[in-house]
Amino acid sequence: MNFFKYLDELADHVRTRVDDETRVTTTGSGIRRRIEVTPSNKQACGFAAFFQDEDEITVAFGEMSVLDFVDDDRDEMISSCREVVDAIIAGRVSETVYLRGASPVRAVARVELPDRIVKVHTRQGMSIFARRGKTRYFEPYLTA
């Protein structure tokens, strides 16, 4: 498989798992390829997947969570990325966003995979004093 075709395959995979009202869009090509998924269920977690480099895929989800997949073994990286996407579609994700004033400055997301739980910590700027957070438990996508 051409590694840069992976996001097209991921977009097709998502389309087979969700209802017709969920928007799955692809833009760019090669290393600039990107997919964005906007669920029809407004309580589900939207996400985008894109390449950072020839050996790194990023999934950005929720309000500000970011998960990077880096591995010399492309098959392992692709498998891990798909596992996380499937968990998002199934509604097995939550995100706590911490605010500084009214601005989100950090997030802690929890993604429940079949064999483990992955915690994702994302920061924007200095946020050591941001203690007020709101947790959102996302629902599953609607299916066809």
Side-chain angles (χ1 to χ4, degrees), residues 7-28:
L7 291 182
D8 291 323
E9 292 178 13
L10 184 63
D12 290 342
H13 172 74
V14 171
R15 286 183 186 105
T16 66
R17 307 248 355 255
V18 301
D19 69 326
D20 292 337
E21 299 300 313
T22 292
R23 194 172 68 220
V24 181
T25 57
T26 56
T27 57

Side-chain angles (χ1 to χ4, degrees), residues 7-92:
L7 291 182
D8 291 323
E9 292 178 13
L10 184 63
D12 290 342
H13 172 74
V14 171
R15 286 183 186 105
T16 66
R17 307 248 355 255
V18 301
D19 69 326
D20 292 337
E21 299 300 313
T22 292
R23 194 172 68 220
V24 181
T25 57
T26 56
T27 57
S29 64
I31 199 162
R32 302 222 186 277
R33 193 67 165 161
R34 176 183 183 94
I35 67 167
E36 292 189 32
V37 180
T38 305
S40 60
N41 176 1
K42 301 301 180 202
Q43 301 306 313
C45 184
F47 69 91
F50 49 93
F51 295 108
Q52 290 287 353
D53 204 338
E54 293 180 4
D55 63 350
E56 183 175 354
I57 299 172
T58 295
V59 175
F61 61 98
E63 186 172 339
M64 66 178 285
S65 293
V66 177
L67 182 56
D68 294 313
F69 300 91
V70 181
D71 200 318
D72 291 334
D73 182 346
R74 287 186 174 173
D75 290 337
E76 183 64 32
M77 183 170 37
I78 286 169
S79 175
S80 296
C81 180
R82 180 170 289 185
E83 218 177 15
V84 166
V85 165
D86 286 345
I88 291 171
I89 291 170
R92 296 189 318 264

